mmCIF file of all heavy atoms in Angstrom:
data_model
loop_
_atom_site.group_PDB
_atom_site.id
_atom_site.type_symbol
_atom_site.label_atom_id
_atom_site.label_comp_id
_atom_site.label_asym_id
_atom_site.label_seq_id
_atom_site.Cartn_x
_atom_site.Cartn_y
_atom_site.Cartn_z
ATOM 1 N N GLY A 258 -30.144 1.398 -3.783
ATOM 2 C CA GLY A 258 -30.769 0.152 -4.225
ATOM 3 C C GLY A 258 -30.117 -0.485 -5.436
ATOM 4 O O GLY A 258 -30.718 -1.344 -6.095
ATOM 5 N N LEU A 259 -28.886 -0.100 -5.743
ATOM 6 C CA LEU A 259 -28.171 -0.730 -6.857
ATOM 7 C C LEU A 259 -27.674 -2.115 -6.436
ATOM 8 O O LEU A 259 -27.376 -2.339 -5.263
ATOM 9 C CB LEU A 259 -26.991 0.133 -7.299
ATOM 10 C CG LEU A 259 -27.339 1.537 -7.826
ATOM 11 C CD1 LEU A 259 -26.067 2.315 -8.146
ATOM 12 C CD2 LEU A 259 -28.235 1.455 -9.057
ATOM 13 N N SER A 260 -27.570 -3.014 -7.386
ATOM 14 C CA SER A 260 -27.144 -4.383 -7.090
ATOM 15 C C SER A 260 -25.671 -4.427 -6.713
ATOM 16 O O SER A 260 -24.830 -3.798 -7.376
ATOM 17 C CB SER A 260 -27.385 -5.288 -8.300
ATOM 18 O OG SER A 260 -28.759 -5.346 -8.600
ATOM 19 N N LEU A 261 -25.373 -5.194 -5.658
ATOM 20 C CA LEU A 261 -24.000 -5.375 -5.201
ATOM 21 C C LEU A 261 -23.610 -6.842 -5.350
ATOM 22 O O LEU A 261 -24.458 -7.738 -5.338
ATOM 23 C CB LEU A 261 -23.855 -4.955 -3.733
ATOM 24 C CG LEU A 261 -24.248 -3.521 -3.365
ATOM 25 C CD1 LEU A 261 -24.056 -3.297 -1.870
ATOM 26 C CD2 LEU A 261 -23.433 -2.501 -4.158
ATOM 27 N N GLY A 262 -22.302 -7.090 -5.455
ATOM 28 C CA GLY A 262 -21.803 -8.451 -5.571
ATOM 29 C C GLY A 262 -21.542 -9.075 -4.212
ATOM 30 O O GLY A 262 -21.781 -8.473 -3.167
ATOM 31 N N ASN A 263 -21.011 -10.293 -4.230
ATOM 32 C CA ASN A 263 -20.753 -11.049 -2.999
ATOM 33 C C ASN A 263 -19.740 -10.369 -2.096
ATOM 34 O O ASN A 263 -19.766 -10.536 -0.877
ATOM 35 C CB ASN A 263 -20.259 -12.460 -3.337
ATOM 36 C CG ASN A 263 -21.333 -13.287 -4.016
ATOM 37 O OD1 ASN A 263 -22.516 -13.081 -3.776
ATOM 38 N ND2 ASN A 263 -20.928 -14.206 -4.884
ATOM 39 N N LYS A 264 -18.815 -9.603 -2.673
ATOM 40 C CA LYS A 264 -17.777 -8.926 -1.900
ATOM 41 C C LYS A 264 -18.139 -7.478 -1.589
ATOM 42 O O LYS A 264 -17.321 -6.726 -1.076
ATOM 43 C CB LYS A 264 -16.437 -8.970 -2.657
ATOM 44 C CG LYS A 264 -15.921 -10.368 -2.944
ATOM 45 C CD LYS A 264 -15.480 -11.071 -1.669
ATOM 46 C CE LYS A 264 -14.824 -12.416 -1.973
ATOM 47 N NZ LYS A 264 -14.421 -13.128 -0.749
ATOM 48 N N GLY A 265 -19.347 -7.081 -1.930
ATOM 49 C CA GLY A 265 -19.790 -5.721 -1.626
ATOM 50 C C GLY A 265 -19.509 -4.706 -2.706
ATOM 51 O O GLY A 265 -19.844 -3.528 -2.552
ATOM 52 N N GLY A 266 -18.896 -5.127 -3.811
ATOM 53 C CA GLY A 266 -18.633 -4.200 -4.912
ATOM 54 C C GLY A 266 -19.893 -3.949 -5.722
ATOM 55 O O GLY A 266 -20.818 -4.773 -5.743
ATOM 56 N N ILE A 267 -19.942 -2.804 -6.409
ATOM 57 C CA ILE A 267 -21.090 -2.478 -7.260
ATOM 58 C C ILE A 267 -21.060 -3.400 -8.479
ATOM 59 O O ILE A 267 -20.058 -3.478 -9.181
ATOM 60 C CB ILE A 267 -21.034 -1.004 -7.711
ATOM 61 C CG1 ILE A 267 -20.961 -0.065 -6.500
ATOM 62 C CG2 ILE A 267 -22.242 -0.658 -8.576
ATOM 63 C CD1 ILE A 267 -20.606 1.377 -6.852
ATOM 64 N N LEU A 268 -22.167 -4.093 -8.720
ATOM 65 C CA LEU A 268 -22.225 -4.998 -9.867
ATOM 66 C C LEU A 268 -22.450 -4.207 -11.155
ATOM 67 O O LEU A 268 -23.323 -3.335 -11.209
ATOM 68 C CB LEU A 268 -23.350 -6.014 -9.694
ATOM 69 C CG LEU A 268 -23.038 -7.278 -8.898
ATOM 70 C CD1 LEU A 268 -24.254 -8.210 -8.882
ATOM 71 C CD2 LEU A 268 -21.831 -8.023 -9.466
ATOM 72 N N VAL A 269 -21.664 -4.526 -12.170
ATOM 73 C CA VAL A 269 -21.823 -3.891 -13.480
ATOM 74 C C VAL A 269 -21.894 -4.967 -14.557
ATOM 75 O O VAL A 269 -21.405 -6.079 -14.374
ATOM 76 C CB VAL A 269 -20.653 -2.923 -13.792
ATOM 77 C CG1 VAL A 269 -20.674 -1.724 -12.860
ATOM 78 C CG2 VAL A 269 -19.311 -3.636 -13.707
ATOM 79 N N ASN A 270 -22.505 -4.612 -15.684
ATOM 80 C CA ASN A 270 -22.530 -5.545 -16.809
ATOM 81 C C ASN A 270 -21.314 -5.316 -17.705
ATOM 82 O O ASN A 270 -20.410 -4.561 -17.349
ATOM 83 C CB ASN A 270 -23.851 -5.436 -17.574
ATOM 84 C CG ASN A 270 -24.049 -4.059 -18.218
ATOM 85 O OD1 ASN A 270 -23.106 -3.266 -18.366
ATOM 86 N ND2 ASN A 270 -25.281 -3.762 -18.590
ATOM 87 N N GLU A 271 -21.326 -5.933 -18.863
ATOM 88 C CA GLU A 271 -20.155 -5.850 -19.751
ATOM 89 C C GLU A 271 -19.933 -4.439 -20.299
ATOM 90 O O GLU A 271 -18.858 -4.134 -20.815
ATOM 91 C CB GLU A 271 -20.301 -6.852 -20.902
ATOM 92 C CG GLU A 271 -21.559 -6.643 -21.733
ATOM 93 C CD GLU A 271 -21.881 -7.843 -22.608
ATOM 94 O OE1 GLU A 271 -21.052 -8.767 -22.671
ATOM 95 O OE2 GLU A 271 -22.961 -7.843 -23.221
ATOM 96 N N TYR A 272 -20.943 -3.575 -20.156
ATOM 97 C CA TYR A 272 -20.797 -2.182 -20.605
ATOM 98 C C TYR A 272 -20.490 -1.242 -19.443
ATOM 99 O O TYR A 272 -20.510 -0.029 -19.601
ATOM 100 C CB TYR A 272 -22.079 -1.739 -21.315
ATOM 101 C CG TYR A 272 -22.427 -2.590 -22.513
ATOM 102 C CD1 TYR A 272 -23.474 -3.511 -22.452
ATOM 103 C CD2 TYR A 272 -21.697 -2.501 -23.700
ATOM 104 C CE1 TYR A 272 -23.791 -4.302 -23.545
ATOM 105 C CE2 TYR A 272 -22.001 -3.293 -24.795
ATOM 106 C CZ TYR A 272 -23.055 -4.194 -24.714
ATOM 107 O OH TYR A 272 -23.358 -4.982 -25.794
ATOM 108 N N LEU A 273 -20.241 -1.820 -18.270
ATOM 109 C CA LEU A 273 -19.950 -1.075 -17.041
ATOM 110 C C LEU A 273 -21.166 -0.288 -16.554
ATOM 111 O O LEU A 273 -21.056 0.728 -15.876
ATOM 112 C CB LEU A 273 -18.733 -0.151 -17.226
ATOM 113 C CG LEU A 273 -17.452 -0.919 -17.548
ATOM 114 C CD1 LEU A 273 -16.369 -0.005 -18.086
ATOM 115 C CD2 LEU A 273 -16.934 -1.671 -16.325
ATOM 116 N N GLN A 274 -22.335 -0.809 -16.887
ATOM 117 C CA GLN A 274 -23.609 -0.237 -16.483
ATOM 118 C C GLN A 274 -24.096 -0.981 -15.238
ATOM 119 O O GLN A 274 -24.007 -2.202 -15.159
ATOM 120 C CB GLN A 274 -24.598 -0.422 -17.637
ATOM 121 C CG GLN A 274 -25.895 0.314 -17.547
ATOM 122 C CD GLN A 274 -26.710 0.070 -18.824
ATOM 123 O OE1 GLN A 274 -26.713 -1.034 -19.358
ATOM 124 N NE2 GLN A 274 -27.377 1.104 -19.306
ATOM 125 N N THR A 275 -24.595 -0.229 -14.277
ATOM 126 C CA THR A 275 -25.127 -0.848 -13.053
ATOM 127 C C THR A 275 -26.526 -1.398 -13.324
ATOM 128 O O THR A 275 -26.995 -1.416 -14.473
ATOM 129 C CB THR A 275 -25.198 0.181 -11.908
ATOM 130 O OG1 THR A 275 -26.231 1.138 -12.219
ATOM 131 C CG2 THR A 275 -23.876 0.901 -11.720
ATOM 132 N N SER A 276 -27.220 -1.802 -12.263
ATOM 133 C CA SER A 276 -28.585 -2.307 -12.411
ATOM 134 C C SER A 276 -29.567 -1.191 -12.778
ATOM 135 O O SER A 276 -30.733 -1.462 -13.058
ATOM 136 C CB SER A 276 -29.042 -3.009 -11.126
ATOM 137 O OG SER A 276 -28.840 -2.190 -9.994
ATOM 138 N N ASP A 277 -29.119 0.056 -12.779
ATOM 139 C CA ASP A 277 -29.896 1.193 -13.268
ATOM 140 C C ASP A 277 -29.290 1.621 -14.602
ATOM 141 O O ASP A 277 -28.094 1.920 -14.686
ATOM 142 C CB ASP A 277 -29.834 2.347 -12.260
ATOM 143 C CG ASP A 277 -30.714 3.537 -12.649
ATOM 144 O OD1 ASP A 277 -30.641 3.976 -13.814
ATOM 145 O OD2 ASP A 277 -31.453 4.029 -11.778
ATOM 146 N N GLU A 278 -30.108 1.675 -15.645
ATOM 147 C CA GLU A 278 -29.584 1.927 -16.992
ATOM 148 C C GLU A 278 -28.942 3.302 -17.144
ATOM 149 O O GLU A 278 -28.167 3.526 -18.078
ATOM 150 C CB GLU A 278 -30.696 1.755 -18.031
ATOM 151 C CG GLU A 278 -31.823 2.765 -17.903
ATOM 152 C CD GLU A 278 -32.884 2.593 -18.984
ATOM 153 O OE1 GLU A 278 -32.712 1.699 -19.837
ATOM 154 O OE2 GLU A 278 -33.868 3.361 -18.978
#
Side-chain angles (χ1 to χ4, degrees):
L259 298 176
S260 298
L261 303 179
N263 294 331
K264 300 291 186 181
I267 304 168
L268 275 183
V269 293
N270 64 16
E271 58 196 352
Y272 301 106
L273 298 165
Q274 191 177 38
T275 70
S276 51
D277 185 312
E278 65 178 359

